[in-house]
Amino acid sequence: MPAPHVITLGCRLNAAESESIRTLAAGRDRVVVNSCAVTQSAVAETRAAIRRARRDHPAAELVVTGCAAQIDPHGFAAMAEVDRVIGNDAKLDPQAWQGAAPVVVGDIMRVAETAPHLAPSFTRHVRAFVEVQNGCDHRCTFCIIPYGRGNSRSAPVAQVVERVAALVAAGHREVVLTGVDLTSYGPPSLAALVQAILLGVPALDRMRLSSLDSIEIDDALFELLTGEPRLMPHLHLSLQAGDDMILKRMKRRHARADAVRMVDRLKARRDIAIGADLIAGFPTETEAMFQNSLKLIDDCDIVHAHIFPYSPRSGTPAARMPQVAPEVRRARAAQLRARGAERRAGWLSTLIGTEQPVLIERPGTRGHAANFAEVTCAAAPVGAVAMLRITGSDGQRLVGTAMERQAA
């Protein structure tokens, strides 16, 4: 049975869903572009990927799915390269892939359920991604994603545990729980889900959580994050800005002090590496407001910085606010990236001489330590958790050498 060629853009949730699409879309010569719509540049990248895919696969059926397809189905259907458009509401429905309708896109706001999808394994990833939550009930003023993903809904605990157990049985050493708004998981709570997985799948070596909203880390989740060794000491926080007025205009639910306080509490209990999303040049952002975001990299010890220049999305409240000039947005994003890179390089240098258990993910050989530092080494089998002695750093990643003893 011919396997489809799946091109995945955007988030880990898309990566999780693409593995199911490989199974659902099999059976004919097909290319699937699983799109992203988080920024205007992400939409442009999707269109570029479609054009490249058509050049590389001139005879294949080309199907576009994902958030960009859900939000603008007819715009993508009008592209000469595209044969079909399948929305997020239908992309995991087997019947949608068996049909021939040129546009299969329904009302995403009517979708009330989600499930951990049943791809047998992650053939292209050593780490496996499990969707446990989808959609979002919040309406941040810059964000278009709720209109591509719908309202918040969560997968049942028992199904998630079963899914994780199957992935571990298939050989995956690390599982990442993903969602659009992961800390809104429930009922029960995200902490209860994590605890159920840890108890129900004792063979799972390593678990990570995708992006978290810091204000929604409750006491039970805090205790797991700081005390459970199988939860990796790495958190990615959805911070977005470090200025209170900008956070208010973004319609975020936390203040700057809340984020700093949470990071301080976490790091007081465990040596946790912090990652964060930050947006540069949000509408009305002054230089003083920007400096507050720049300082947040130090105040929250952000060593995995994910920086976006603000991108206006039609239909969002922020697109109607007074805009910061594009060249200023780009310059501020560059400053944030430079400060993040400086912070990261300093952190990596402190790890030289330590021993780190590294999940080897690609030949060459490259993988990630428990703290999500990227590490290269001379020789270790893909899929193994190798104990490496860290011998150097190039400022972006670590260099390690294999030790005689291996991680458990």
Side-chain angles (χ1 to χ4, degrees):
M1 181 179 294
H5 178 66
V6 181
I7 300 166
T8 305
L9 296 102
C11 63
R12 292 171 175 173
L13 190 56
N14 260 10
E17 292 169 343
S18 284
E19 292 301 317
S20 294
I21 288 171
R22 291 183 207 284
T23 300
L24 295 170
R28 67 180 75 172
D29 184 11
R30 221 176 218 157
V31 176
V32 180
V33 178
N34 196 3
S35 65
C36 178
V38 69
T39 63
Q40 290 285 29
S41 60
V43 176
E45 185 180 353
T46 293
R47 291 183 177 276
I50 290 167
R51 290 189 286 268
R52 284 194 303 271
R54 176 52 74 206
R55 289 195 299 270
D56 294 342
H57 305 272
E61 179 187 53
L62 197 153
V63 183
V64 184
T65 188
C67 288
Q70 179 70 40
I71 292 167
D72 184 20
H74 297 292
F76 284 97
M79 293 182 68
E81 297 87 354
V82 174
D83 295 306
R84 300 187 70 210
V85 175
I86 298 177
N88 272 340
D89 66 311
K91 72 178 178 182
L92 299 172
D93 180 355
Q95 293 187 349
W97 296 97
Q98 294 165 7
V103 177
V104 184
V105 178
D107 183 357
I108 194 70
M109 297 300 178
R110 295 175 66 88
V111 179
E113 296 180 352
T114 193
H117 307 298
L118 302 178
S121 67
F122 276 65
T123 56
R124 291 161 176 79
H125 299 274
V126 170
R127 285 183 292 143
F129 303 94
V130 179
E131 176 184 327
V132 304
Q133 184 275 338
N134 206 331
C136 185
D137 290 339
H138 308 295
R139 295 297 182 265
C140 295
T141 60
F142 57 85
C143 188
I144 197 72
I145 296 306
Y147 304 100
R149 288 285 181 178
N151 296 315
S152 182
R153 58 231 186 245
S154 301
V157 170
Q159 289 185 19
V160 175
V161 173
E162 182 181 3
R163 173 78 172 114
V164 172
L167 289 165
V168 171
H172 292 285
R173 305 289 298 273
E174 182 173 307
V175 166
V176 183
L177 304 187
T178 70
V180 174
D181 182 25
L182 189 60
T183 39
S184 73
Y185 179 90
S189 65
L190 180 60
L193 173 67
V194 170
Q195 190 66 61
I197 295 169
L198 293 169
L199 291 173
V201 193
L204 174 63
D205 290 327
R206 295 158 57 125
M207 184 195 299
R208 295 187 194 273
L209 306 179
S210 66
S211 184
L212 301 179
D213 195 331
S214 62
I215 200 68
E216 291 190 342
I217 297 176
D218 60 18
D219 289 344
L221 185 58
F222 179 88
E223 292 300 320
L224 287 167
L225 293 170
T226 56
E228 171 51 58
R230 287 192 288 161
L231 265 179
M232 296 295 94
H234 157 242
L235 284 183
H236 192 87
L237 303 176
S238 179
L239 299 182
Q240 309 304 348
D243 180 84
D244 282 341
M245 181 57 72
I246 292 298
L247 289 167
K248 184 176 180 180
R249 289 171 179 165
M250 287 179 166
K251 209 174 177 182
R252 300 294 295 166
R253 287 161 289 152
H254 71 276
R256 187 186 204 279
D258 296 324
V260 175
R261 188 181 306 112
M262 176 54 69
V263 171
D264 286 346
R265 286 183 62 210
L266 289 164
K267 293 180 77 68
R269 289 276 296 271
R270 190 181 187 189
D271 185 13
I272 294 178
I274 301 297
D277 296 325
L278 292 171
I279 296 174
F282 185 80
T284 76
E285 182 185 74
T286 65
E287 180 61 28
M289 292 171 177
F290 167 69
Q291 288 297 322
N292 284 334
S293 287
L294 190 64
K295 292 172 187 174
L296 191 70
I297 292 176
D298 290 333
D299 292 345
C300 285
D301 193 16
I302 297 168
V303 296
H304 301 290
H306 195 186
I307 307 302
F308 300 88
Y310 171 74
S311 175
R313 301 295 283 116
S314 178
T316 61
R320 300 189 295 272
M321 296 178 185
Q323 301 293 300
V324 174
E327 62 272 18
V328 175
R329 297 199 299 258
R330 291 191 293 269
R332 289 176 179 173
Q335 289 183 65
L336 286 172
R337 290 190 185 105
R339 188 69 194 100
E342 183 181 352
R343 191 83 191 182
R344 178 180 180 83
W347 170 65
L348 292 175
S349 69
T350 69
L351 299 175
I352 297 172
T354 65
E355 299 174 9
Q356 299 288 334
V358 177
L359 177 66
I360 305 302
E361 298 171 47
R362 297 196 295 276
T365 301
R366 188 172 294 177
H368 286 89
N371 56 22
F372 211 60
E374 192 173 1
V375 187
T376 61
C377 69
V382 172
V385 178
M387 185 63 72
L388 304 181
R389 179 174 294 280
I390 305 304
T391 59
S393 167
D394 65 3
Q396 295 182 321
R397 60 185 63 85
L398 299 172
V399 178
T401 57
M403 303 176 65
E404 289 186 6
R405 65 184 178 87
Q406 296 295 304

